[in-house]
Amino acid sequence: MFTSPDISAVTWRKSTHSNPDQGACVEVSDDLPGIVPVRDSKDPSVGCLVVPSASWGALTASLRG
């Protein structure tokens, strides 16, 4: 059974590719081992998507390549 991680104290960082006018911003946190929480900085109250670290690494590597 999956238990939601406590993300109340994580440090969020914005993508370096975020829109400079704050219109399209993705934030992630590197604070939790094994998972990467991802959220929309425009509306953080909506919650976040929690992705396994390996999957996040594969996604970002494919975007770079």
Side-chain angles (χ1 to χ4, degrees), residues 14-20 24-26 63-64:
K14 270 190 191 155
S15 167
T16 57
H17 296 285
S18 291
N19 192 336
C25 300
V26 173
L63 293 172
R64 287 185 194 110

Side-chain angles (χ1 to χ4, degrees), residues 7-56:
I7 60 161
S8 61
V10 300
T11 303
W12 295 97
R13 65 178 174 84
K14 270 190 191 155
S15 167
T16 57
H17 296 285
S18 291
N19 192 336
D21 68 1
Q22 307 302 316
C25 300
V26 173
E27 293 181 320
V28 299
S29 176
D30 300 320
D31 293 348
L32 301 171
I35 60 173
V36 178
V38 183
R39 72 179 183 182
D40 180 352
S41 66
K42 293 184 307 298
D43 195 0
S45 67
V46 171
C48 67
L49 175 66
V50 178
V51 181
S53 297
S55 298
W56 182 255

